[in-house]
Amino acid sequence: MTTTGEELVTARGGPWWWDRRRSAVFDVGLAVVSALECGLEGVPFAREAGVPAAVGVVFGVLAGSVLLVRRRWPIAVVLVAIAVTPAAMGFLMGVVGLYSLAASEVPRRIIASLAGMQSVGVLIVMFVRMRQNLARGELDVGDWIVPFASVTMAIGVTAPPLLLGLYVGARRRLMESLRERADSLERELQLLAERAEERAEWARGEERTRIAREMHDVVAHRVSLMVVHAAALQAVARKDPEKAVRNAALVGDMGRQALTELREMLGVLRSGGDGGQRRERASVPLAAVGVAAAAAASRAVDEGEGPCLSEIEELVGQSAAAGMVVDLSVVGEARSCAREVESTAYRVVQEALTNVHKHAAGAKTYVRLAYRVSEIAMQVENEPPPEAGAGASAGLPSGGNGLVGMKERVSALGGVFVSGPTDAGGFRVSAVIPAS
């Protein structure tokens, strides 16, 4: 990156008021040359003023050395140059001082006033000296040349350094403005990058949660039923071989369905890149993975293959086949709703039945589904299990994420989700989802 703003200021370092050592060396050199010039010009000045030559030299050296402070006090340099103009000295000091004044941050009215004073001073001094030379016979020219030469000299001494200083000052201010804008833009870019990183981290967390929720909903229910059927199979294997065969067939069907759904999910997750290139698969954004997981978990909802409310009866029948006493009641006229709404309602009932298998095996369960004007309501309520600890007989593990996932699904659609124990010792899960 380029050095701008505060970094540039930090990189500078010079003595006193100079930003860089090179500037200090340059100003010292100018001051020495100006002091030598004014010192030499002080000899004829001392002769005309009737003072010792040493006095004139010292006066010239002191006056010329003022150029050393041209960056800090340019007004003082111009005023000294105007003051020594009658002594016919300080040509370099006047030119450089006026340039430094025009390039500084001094208000334009002050620059114009001092430049006018210096121009008038040069004009008057030039005019008077040329008239004196004509009177002494040292110049043999026409009278018209005196004002012409005086005006030309005054303009030539003041206009070029004034215009150059104004140009350099404007350019410097423009560069500083651009540097400030670059600093501001760099700070804004850093802030945007930090915010983008925060949003990306938040999105990664959201997608991880979403993937976990979808996999839980897809696999947990069928695997839980498999475990329940396996426990029942173990219990009746010797007493009722025919029932054991039926339970074994159900376990096989459940396993195949779970594998099919899991295979669909993994296939969609892997479809983000070339299946033969691990590097390309790794480059798939996490957001795309989350979308793919949601699509797989919903059985391609956009294509109309996702779980819907018409499959609730089949879902309840699977739990009944596993030994649960479950009662299904539907209120209102069944109708088609948005796929997201039907899929969420199905998953809520599915997860609630799974929780009954895990925590209240053998308890009678009531599933109620109500079609209302602008919303769909569902409730799954179970009675207390017939025996304490019956829910643990099948050895079903619980991660504690089912209720959280249901609430997240319902809330994402603007619905209301409530769950908790009943007064009778059972458990109730209720949800209301807008139908549109």
Side-chain angles (χ1 to χ4, degrees):
M1 295 181 64
T2 57
T3 304
T4 60
E6 297 179 356
E7 295 180 0
L8 180 61
V9 173
T10 304
R12 295 175 176 177
W16 296 345
W17 55 82
W18 286 284
D19 295 332
R20 294 172 295 183
R21 295 184 180 275
R22 183 176 62 183
S23 300
V25 173
F26 181 73
D27 286 356
V28 170
L30 284 177
V32 171
V33 174
S34 177
L36 291 176
E37 176 202 352
C38 294
L40 294 176
E41 293 171 346
V43 176
F45 167 72
R47 187 184 312 111
E48 294 177 0
V51 296
V55 176
V57 172
V58 172
F59 173 76
V61 170
L62 292 177
S65 61
V66 176
L67 199 59
L68 186 68
V69 296
R70 71 181 186 92
R71 298 179 190 266
R72 186 67 178 272
W73 297 292
I75 296 178
V77 176
V78 175
L79 290 176
V80 172
I82 295 173
V84 300
T85 298
M89 64 173 62
F91 174 80
L92 178 63
M93 181 172 56
V95 172
V96 176
L98 188 59
Y99 161 80
S100 302
L101 178 66
S104 65
E105 301 294 333
V106 176
R108 295 294 178 85
R109 62 179 183 275
I110 298 179
I111 296 175
S113 300
L114 293 178
M117 292 173 59
Q118 184 169 349
S119 179
V120 172
V122 173
L123 176 65
I124 294 174
V125 171
M126 187 67 181
F127 183 84
V128 171
R129 285 187 174 276
M130 290 189 69
R131 295 292 296 178
Q132 290 176 351
N133 292 335
L134 284 175
R136 289 195 298 264
E138 296 179 1
L139 293 176
D140 187 13
V141 294
D143 292 340
W144 63 270
I145 199 67
V146 175
F148 176 76
S150 300
V151 172
T152 303
M153 187 65 178
I155 295 176
V157 170
T158 57
L162 178 65
L163 296 177
L164 181 61
L166 291 175
Y167 167 75
V168 172
R171 183 175 179 275
R172 181 184 301 139
R173 286 187 288 272
L174 176 61
M175 295 300 295
E176 290 177 353
S177 175
L178 293 177
R179 188 177 297 116
E180 291 177 357
R181 291 182 181 180
D183 291 340
S184 177
L185 180 60
E186 185 175 356
R187 288 192 293 268
E188 290 179 1
L189 290 177
Q190 291 177 352
L191 181 60
L192 290 175
E194 292 175 358
R195 291 180 177 177
E197 181 63 26
E198 292 177 358
R199 288 195 295 269
E201 184 63 28
W202 176 83
R204 285 193 290 268
E206 287 293 316
E207 292 305 326
R208 282 194 293 266
T209 303
R210 183 178 181 181
I211 292 171
R213 182 173 64 243
E214 298 296 343
M215 294 188 68
H216 177 275
D217 291 341
V218 168
V219 180
H221 178 72
R222 299 195 184 280
V223 173
S224 298
L225 291 180
M226 290 172 59
V227 174
V228 172
H229 282 296
L233 177 63
Q234 183 179 5
V236 301
R238 295 181 180 179
K239 299 178 181 179
D240 191 348
E242 293 183 0
K243 187 175 181 179
V245 171
R246 289 195 300 271
N247 286 343
L250 288 174
V251 171
D253 291 339
M254 293 293 177
R256 281 187 292 272
Q257 292 176 3
L259 287 175
T260 299
E261 292 184 348
L262 184 59
R263 188 180 299 111
E264 289 177 359
M265 174 177 289
L266 295 178
V268 176
L269 290 175
R270 290 170 178 170
S271 65
D274 185 3
Q277 299 293 333
R278 182 177 302 176
R279 179 182 57 82
E280 295 183 7
R281 289 201 302 269
S283 65
V284 177
L286 186 57
V289 174
V291 173
S298 301
R299 301 178 186 173
V301 168
D302 294 336
E303 300 178 2
E305 300 177 1
C308 56
L309 292 176
S310 61
E311 300 176 10
I312 290 292
E313 186 174 354
E314 179 183 354
L315 179 66
V316 172
Q318 293 175 355
S319 294
M324 177 186 294
V325 180
V326 56
D327 177 64
L328 172 65
S329 62
V330 179
V331 180
E333 183 178 357
R335 66 181 186 275
S336 298
C337 301
R339 279 292 174 178
E340 295 82 357
V341 174
E342 295 203 10
S343 175
T344 300
Y346 181 92
R347 295 302 186 191
V348 169
V349 176
Q350 181 187 60
E351 180 60 28
L353 292 176
T354 302
N355 286 341
V356 175
H357 284 293
K358 290 181 179 180
H359 307 292
K364 186 175 183 179
T365 305
Y366 302 91
V367 178
R368 300 180 180 89
L369 180 64
Y371 291 91
R372 299 173 182 171
V373 177
S374 59
E375 60 188 18
I376 295 177
M378 66 224 66
Q379 178 177 289
V380 178
E381 180 179 351
N382 64 272
E383 297 178 353
E387 299 178 4
S393 60
L396 291 172
S398 176
N401 298 317
L403 295 177
V404 175
M406 285 190 283
K407 185 175 182 179
E408 290 175 351
R409 282 181 175 276
V410 174
S411 300
L413 297 179
V416 178
F417 178 84
V418 178
S419 63
T422 62
D423 296 337
F427 199 84
R428 179 187 299 120
V429 173
S430 303
V432 179
I433 307 175
S436 57

